[in-house]
Amino acid sequence: MSSPDKIDVRYVAHLARMHLADGEVARLQPQLEQIVGYVQQLGELNVEGIEPTAHAIPVQNVFRADEVRPCLDHDAAMQNAPLAREGQFIVPKIIE
Amino acid sequence: MNYIANVGLEVHVQLKTRTKIFCGCPTTFGAPPNTHVCPVCLGYPGAMPAMNAEAIRLTVLSGLMLGCQINPASKMDRKNYYYPDMPKNYQISQYDQPLCLGGGIEITLADGSKKKIGLTRIHIEEDVGKNMHFTASSGIDFNRAGTPLMEIVTEPDIASADEAMAFLEALKEILAYGGVSDVNLEEGNLRCDVNSSVRPAGQEKLGTKTELKNMNTFKGVHRALSYEIARQISELEKGGRIRQETRRWDDLAGVTLAMRSKEEAHDYRYFPEPDLLPIVLTQAQVTEWAKALPELPEKRRARMMSDYGIPEYDAGVLSADKALADYFEATATLVKNPKAASNWIMTTVMAKLTELHLTIGEVKITPAQLAKLINLVEAKTINLPTAKEIFELMFAQGGDAGEIVKAKGLAQVSDAGAIEKIVDEAIAANPKVVADYKGGKEASFKFLVGQVMKLSKGKANPALANELLKKKLG
Ligand SMILES: [Zn+2]
């Protein structure tokens, strides 16, 4: 695991689509490092022989049958859209 | 210098489920925008996904057909990125524990030799929405968002555009056979990303690759890849280098272009999907599902050749579509000469299907009825032209060939005495033609045969008519 003092706050902010002022970067730098450093204490534990797990509860194979359920009414689906046209959600032009 | 191309495909295939992967919205194509949506597939905060069991079963079946190992323990992960057609800002996919590993497809090259294209993995994921462009904005339709996809990833084993095409054709055929996908290209059921690189012959290390995104026709893949491989080679020959980048195929101009959007290093920050639990597949479960597997096209071709003694070409045509192969086999087992069944289906039946844009499933003539018709010809009860006439009647309304023959009095006349009478009639009515024939004009004989067939209303056994005519004319 990388050491916490290498956090690139601007990069992380960009991934989260957040705009940070210089002062905010300076303030967040030690805070983030402190948080990650705290979590990294877990790295000190000896986990040899322990299966990695993504969930805290020992449950698996929770499935749904392939049966159609009612959808949202179209008008209800669109009611929070700031802009709509021809039944679609309007977003700034996508450039490929 | 000689160059070797290494191409890998990432093929996204829509699974044939009734509903989306994590919600009960239908997957039907062509609904008005944003009418097959709900809080789950619109990515509302707090909406919880629920895994569609059928998506898992169909992917496992695909894995079995493609020779993959089925992963006993699998899980879902979040792939984080921003794009307007993805409402949650993450796509639920699989990262390090996909459902299937390894496998491959054997393709046939132009020279007839076989080559195995290896598979890396198959994982399941949700599709994104569809975007449409207006002049100053873009519109998003989320009907497709959440449609279950399996992504089939190949090894970079493909060496040319032709091989890529052969691979895709073979893959499509197998998936259609298994009934795991409709593989309807027009409806976007199969789309692929093409990763390609070239290296000088003799160099072990693969060259820098470029990626062509979202190709949705096989012809497009072939053209784009032909262009891209040539472009990379010419770049290297000029002493240039290949940039690792995503490119777009411009079908009209026939070129690949670097995408305009800024190319960033992808940082998807995959992590286990907390809202979905692990998938554990026991051997017993997989074995149970495997019972639904059909015989695959490649195997079936070989068996049809040996079971019915039909040529490789016939077996290839007939086995390309599962329903057609089923129809052929059902017919072939009921006739004395299976090659006749193959001829009938490949020419007469298939011509009708093309002409009327029908599928074999929509044909009114059952295999048993077709077999009866074929057997009537083989037994010389009717001749071929009469049989074709009866076929037309049966095609329009179904029915039994034997009964049609009886009702319409179409049985072939193979009674020598009766035909002899007609032959005499034909000779008497055409003294000039007879004289021409005797004078050495061969074509006159054909005319006389035609007259006999006409007088018999097409019912005379042509072989017998020929024979008797020859005898009479000395
Ligand atoms: Zn939904």
Side-chain angles (χ1 to χ4, degrees), chain B residues 20 23 25 37-38 41:
Chain B
K20 294 186 179 182
C23 63
C25 293
V37 291
C38 75
C41 55

Side-chain angles (χ1 to χ4, degrees), chain A residues 11 61 64 66 72 87 89, chain B residues 19-20 34 51 140 267 280:
Chain A
Y11 177 66
N61 294 352
R64 172 179 67 82
D66 186 24
L72 264 187
F89 293 91
Chain B
T19 64
K20 294 186 179 182
N34 296 306
M51 176 63 83
I140 315 285
D267 187 349
V280 175

Side-chain angles (χ1 to χ4, degrees), chain A residues 33-49:
Chain A
E33 278 160 15
Q34 200 187 353
I35 292 165
V36 175
Y38 179 71
V39 175
Q40 276 191 340
Q41 289 180 49
L42 288 171
E44 291 162 18
L45 290 171
N46 180 4
V47 291
E48 216 180 283

Side-chain angles (χ1 to χ4, degrees), chain B residues 202-349:
Chain B
Q203 176 187 309
E204 276 296 308
K205 196 171 164 284
L206 298 189
T208 306
K209 68 176 181 186
T210 66
E211 183 178 21
L212 291 162
K213 279 248 182 239
N214 233 344
M215 306 292 304
N216 50 19
T217 67
F218 290 180
K219 215 177 129 206
V221 170
H222 191 272
R223 289 181 64 211
L225 196 48
S226 302
Y227 176 90
E228 182 60 15
I229 291 171
R231 183 191 73 84
Q232 291 185 19
I233 291 173
S234 104
E235 198 61 45
L236 293 181
E237 300 239 279
K238 279 190 299 200
R241 57 178 205 92
I242 307 301
R243 282 227 314 267
Q244 178 155 358
E245 63 189 357
T246 304
R247 299 179 70 86
R248 182 172 61 83
W249 169 243
D250 183 331
D251 200 64
L252 276 180
V255 295
T256 66
L257 301 163
M259 301 272 260
R260 271 188 292 157
S261 52
K262 213 169 24 158
E263 184 62 21
E264 292 172 23
H266 295 298
D267 187 349
Y268 293 130
R269 292 149 293 140
Y270 280 98
F271 63 84
E273 168 58 62
D275 293 342
L276 291 164
L277 290 157
I279 302 154
V280 175
L281 297 169
T282 61
Q283 189 54 50
Q285 176 66 84
V286 173
T287 310
E288 181 58 34
W289 283 342
K291 286 180 188 158
L293 281 180
E295 182 184 21
L296 292 184
E298 194 64 39
K299 253 193 162 157
R300 190 166 197 179
R301 253 190 291 286
R303 185 181 55 74
M304 278 165 53
M305 286 164 67
S306 77
D307 280 9
Y308 306 106
I310 55 171
E312 183 168 10
Y313 175 80
D314 295 35
V317 173
L318 295 166
S319 65
D321 175 72
K322 183 171 178 288
L324 187 69
D326 290 344
Y327 191 91
F328 165 74
E329 290 207 60
T331 311
T333 48
L334 297 172
V335 298
K336 289 179 194 77
N337 175 13
K339 172 65 181 147
S342 154
N343 289 347
W344 268 90
I345 293 169
M346 286 203 311
T347 56
T348 317
V349 177

